[in-house]
Amino acid sequence: MGLVHDLRARVNMARTYFWNKVLDARNLIYNVGLAVGHARINALLQDYSLLPTINAFAGKLGPFKFDFHPMLVVDHLHEWSLGVWKATFTHIIRVLYATIPGEVAVATLNARFRQIPSFGRGTVRRFCSNAAEMKKLAGHNYDNLLVNIIPCIEGLLPEPFNSRLLTTLFRLSEWNALAKLRMHTEATLNYLDKTTTVIGRELRSFAATTQAEYKTVELPGETTSRARRSARKKANAVASDPSAPPPPPPPPPVAKGKFLNLLTYKFHALGDYVQSIRLFGTADSFSTQTGELAHRFVKRLYGRTNKNSAMKQMTRLERRDTRLRRAAQSAAAPHVRVRVFSDNDATLYVGLDAHHQISKSRKEPIHILKFVQRFIPKLKAHLLSRLLGRDFDGDEMEFSQAERDTVNIVQSKIYSVPTMRVNFTTYDMRRDQDTISPRTHPNVMVLSPETTPNCHPFWYARVLGIFHLEVIHSGPKSRNGGTQHMEFLWVRWYGTEPGYRSGFKAARLPKIGFVPDSDDYAFGLLDPSLVLRGCHIVPAFASGRTDTLLSLSPGQVTSARHKDEIDDWANFYVIM
């Protein structure tokens, strides 16, 4: 899959070759009179897992009248998420069991997954307590595993296999992102074509390496399932023949050897993605995920019943929800209560044309004298720089005491709010929104003002507080003598890891870490209008934790860490 001869064979109607084999087999059965299991028929069909049957499409159309195969589009959900990637992830778990005796490595993997924060509106959800067991997982759960597996698997396997596996996982994530794009150009399709070749090579290498170097066996769940199937088969045989003696009790199941099998249709189908997208458009246009998501609504309705006559209760609940939804959408429904938002509402609605929204609530006032003394000059310098229209360059402007005195904070109070919403335009020209919260989703990204060669295009920060205030700017440089409402973010800056190569060529995620507090710019103030959007930042678990980035006195409390934290992760990965 993905090699030149394979892609050429697909173009040269490889399926016609199989069609001819089926026709030859049917001729031997119906005209010559050979049995279906005859050796000549097996020689034609067995090597390719073919059957001497013709479906309705083939019978009516046939490959010579109309080739119906291209209209059978790819199915990303079942062929990739629940197919190739699920099989690959399962085999990675087998390798972990084979590498380290017991379940130490698998337990570590599960513990790392549990520490990954959620992100976005259902984009990345919290992982279950035992992700490696893969119980009751849907397609989006496997996508989340792929997106976040690199930080979790790093360091659990010996070198050089660890580095090769990280490269393979990056390429798989890259292919998955390209295949799911909702807007394609000729350049992205050509890149997807090249990436298909790459993941074919990477997966074949991964399968061959693990088979040669590791004695992988079935997972405990696979062994138990096989034993259950065997017991059920024997029970059915006894039930069909009452005169047969009862079978002896089965011995304890023993795990059999298991390798990654790439000789499957789902793996072969990955080579059809570019052709399907060229013919029919982006993969979301013909995805089975839309229909599969309807299961969630049915399950939600079932959970609201008392399980007695559940079908009848679910029907009533569905009708009730439909009537309420229609009433809410109808402008001619005077009995429907419409919520009226106020400026003091922390969940104030913001239109998609605005860059961001921060509530003007004054429920949490803070006197500026409660902050450390060096915070006040930094705050006034930040506000003055914005009042004068200076461009952001990453460093706070240096102003004299007299210049800072021209900035007067009304009542010497600033007001804290819990969240900020940021609107942004996605790559496919849609509008989306991120909610930034210092407690749950604190990480943001801004454009880097650096212009040096090979510099990273973005800066990253953890939001420690979201504030607004009223300010009066006086003096000869004042542009507005009245009271002005201003907003700012209190952030802790991340810095890129020195000497670390990341990106698509290196097949590595960007690695960052907190700027040490010995740097004057480890903490800073940020204009909310500079925030591009939230970002998904995951700890680099293999790098461990350290307390050298932020030195505190015994008993000292800081907003830079959660209440139960005494140190920081040494590094983080930015999920691309």
Side-chain angles (χ1 to χ4, degrees):
M1 193 284 299
L3 297 181
V4 174
H5 72 270
D6 172 69
L7 298 176
R8 188 175 299 157
R10 294 171 193 257
V11 175
N12 293 336
M13 311 303 294
R15 293 184 178 91
T16 305
Y17 173 74
F18 297 130
W19 166 265
N20 291 331
K21 282 187 172 294
V22 172
L23 290 183
D24 291 343
R26 291 175 64 86
N27 179 61
L28 292 176
I29 294 172
Y30 294 107
N31 297 330
V32 180
L34 299 182
V36 174
H38 195 274
R40 289 178 63 184
I41 297 176
N42 288 337
L44 287 170
L45 306 179
Q46 199 168 38
D47 290 344
Y48 304 100
S49 300
L50 299 175
L51 295 174
T53 57
I54 296 178
N55 60 29
F57 281 123
K60 291 294 183 182
L61 301 175
F64 305 109
K65 300 176 184 177
F66 171 75
D67 185 13
F68 58 88
H69 289 105
M71 74 181 186
L72 305 177
V73 295
V74 294
D75 182 0
H76 188 274
L77 175 63
H78 295 94
E79 291 170 357
W80 173 257
S81 301
L82 300 177
V84 175
W85 164 238
K86 179 181 178 180
T88 305
F89 179 73
T90 303
H91 195 59
I92 291 173
I93 304 301
R94 296 191 196 110
V95 173
L96 289 177
Y97 274 107
T99 305
I100 304 175
E103 300 183 3
V104 178
V106 177
T108 303
L109 181 71
N110 288 328
R112 290 178 174 182
F113 271 121
R114 288 195 297 270
Q115 296 178 69
I116 292 180
S118 61
F119 176 71
R121 298 183 178 181
T123 305
V124 176
R125 307 177 188 182
R126 284 284 187 177
F127 289 92
C128 60
S129 59
N130 193 344
E133 199 173 25
M134 295 174 285
K135 281 191 174 181
K136 298 181 179 179
L137 298 187
H140 65 85
N141 298 119
Y142 285 102
D143 286 341
N144 286 348
L145 288 172
L146 175 58
V147 167
N148 295 281
I149 191 174
I150 291 179
C152 298
I153 200 71
E154 183 185 18
L156 295 183
L157 293 167
E159 294 290 355
F161 182 75
N162 174 70
S163 297
R164 294 204 302 264
L165 178 59
L166 295 182
T167 300
T168 300
L169 293 172
F170 185 94
R171 296 306 181 194
L172 295 181
S173 301
E174 183 182 23
W175 185 91
N176 179 55
L178 288 166
K180 292 177 69 175
L181 281 180
R182 294 194 294 258
M183 186 174 71
H184 268 289
T185 64
E186 192 63 30
T188 58
L189 282 176
N190 291 336
Y191 192 39
L192 175 59
D193 203 2
K194 294 178 181 178
T195 308
T196 303
T197 302
V198 171
I199 66 164
R201 181 177 66 246
E202 291 287 345
L203 285 175
R204 284 190 292 272
S205 174
F206 173 70
T209 302
T210 53
Q211 185 169 355
E213 299 183 8
Y214 298 98
K215 188 179 179 181
T216 52
V217 297
E218 295 173 318
L219 296 179
E222 293 176 315
T223 305
T224 305
S225 297
R226 179 171 53 80
R228 266 199 311 267
R229 289 194 301 269
S230 177
R232 192 182 305 115
K233 186 176 181 180
K234 292 179 180 178
N236 292 337
V238 171
S240 62
D241 186 7
S243 62
V254 178
K256 293 184 177 180
K258 196 82 170 180
F259 305 106
L260 178 61
N261 180 24
L262 297 179
L263 300 179
T264 63
Y265 171 76
K266 292 182 178 181
F267 179 67
H268 170 81
L270 301 186
D272 294 328
Y273 271 72
V274 174
Q275 181 185 9
S276 293
I277 293 173
R278 288 186 189 277
L279 287 174
F280 302 107
T282 54
D284 64 308
S285 305
F286 41 83
S287 172
T288 58
Q289 190 169 2
T290 304
E292 297 288 344
L293 289 176
H295 298 168
R296 296 166 62 184
F297 177 66
V298 177
K299 292 177 181 178
R300 187 164 62 248
L301 291 179
Y302 181 77
R304 292 164 61 184
T305 69
N306 61 4
K307 316 304 183 289
N308 185 18
S309 300
M311 189 67 69
K312 187 176 181 180
Q313 294 185 58
M314 290 167 63
T315 303
R316 290 177 176 175
L317 289 170
E318 189 275 332
R319 288 290 84 201
R320 177 179 178 273
D321 288 351
T322 300
R323 287 193 296 269
L324 289 174
R325 185 174 65 253
R326 288 176 179 173
Q329 293 173 349
S330 175
H335 60 281
V336 179
R337 297 180 62 186
V338 179
R339 183 177 179 185
V340 179
F341 294 94
S342 67
D343 286 345
N344 292 328
D345 194 340
T347 59
L348 176 67
Y349 172 78
V350 55
L352 293 179
D353 55 339
H355 174 269
H356 70 277
Q357 177 268 327
I358 295 177
S359 172
K360 296 181 180 179
S361 171
R362 299 191 176 189
K363 295 180 180 179
E364 297 185 35
I366 305 174
H367 200 283
I368 59 174
L369 293 180
K370 291 186 178 181
F371 291 92
V372 294
Q373 290 302 312
R374 66 175 181 270
F375 174 81
I376 300 175
K378 181 175 287 191
L379 172 60
K380 289 192 173 184
H382 171 77
L383 297 175
L384 182 57
S385 176
R386 290 169 55 185
L387 289 169
L388 297 176
R390 305 284 179 84
D391 292 333
F392 173 74
D393 63 355
D395 296 335
E396 297 294 345
M397 293 287 181
E398 294 292 336
F399 296 100
S400 65
Q401 181 64 41
E403 289 176 316
R404 291 196 298 266
D405 288 342
T406 62
V407 178
N408 301 295
I409 300 174
V410 176
Q411 297 181 351
S412 298
K413 290 182 180 179
I414 63 177
Y415 303 93
S416 174
V417 294
T419 60
M420 175 183 76
R421 292 176 179 170
V422 180
N423 293 324
F424 60 95
T425 303
T426 60
Y427 67 91
D428 58 344
M429 303 306 167
R430 302 183 184 187
R431 292 292 278 171
D432 205 347
Q433 187 179 83
D434 280 337
T435 299
I436 309 301
S437 168
R439 188 175 60 88
T440 56
H441 298 94
N443 297 309
V444 297
M445 58 193 300
V446 300
L447 279 177
S448 170
E450 296 180 88
T451 57
T452 56
N454 301 323
C455 65
H456 194 67
F458 305 108
W459 281 5
Y460 306 94
R462 173 176 290 184
V463 177
L464 307 179
I466 304 170
F467 304 98
H468 66 89
L469 49 75
E470 302 294 329
V471 65
I472 299 175
H473 184 205
S474 58
K477 296 182 180 181
S478 173
R479 298 182 178 184
N480 188 343
T483 302
Q484 301 182 56
H485 180 82
M486 299 187 71
E487 304 159 339
F488 67 93
L489 306 177
W490 175 240
V491 301
R492 185 181 184 187
W493 289 106
Y494 294 101
T496 55
E497 181 70 9
Y500 178 83
R501 293 180 64 246
S502 64
F504 292 102
K505 289 185 178 180
R508 290 294 183 270
L509 297 171
K511 181 182 280 190
I512 59 177
F514 285 126
V515 177
D517 63 345
S518 57
D519 192 310
D520 292 337
Y521 301 104
F523 296 85
L525 302 170
L526 182 63
D527 183 356
S529 65
L530 298 176
V531 173
L532 294 178
R533 59 163 300 175
C535 55
H536 189 39
I537 293 179
V538 174
F541 299 103
S543 300
R545 301 182 71 97
T546 178
D547 58 359
T548 60
L549 299 176
L550 181 60
S551 55
L552 297 176
S553 304
Q556 187 177 357
V557 179
T558 174
S559 58
R561 292 175 182 157
H562 293 298
K563 294 181 179 179
D564 55 344
E565 289 183 335
I566 59 174
D567 50 17
D568 304 298
W569 289 104
N571 290 109
F572 298 83
Y573 283 114
V574 182
I575 305 300
M576 298 170 64

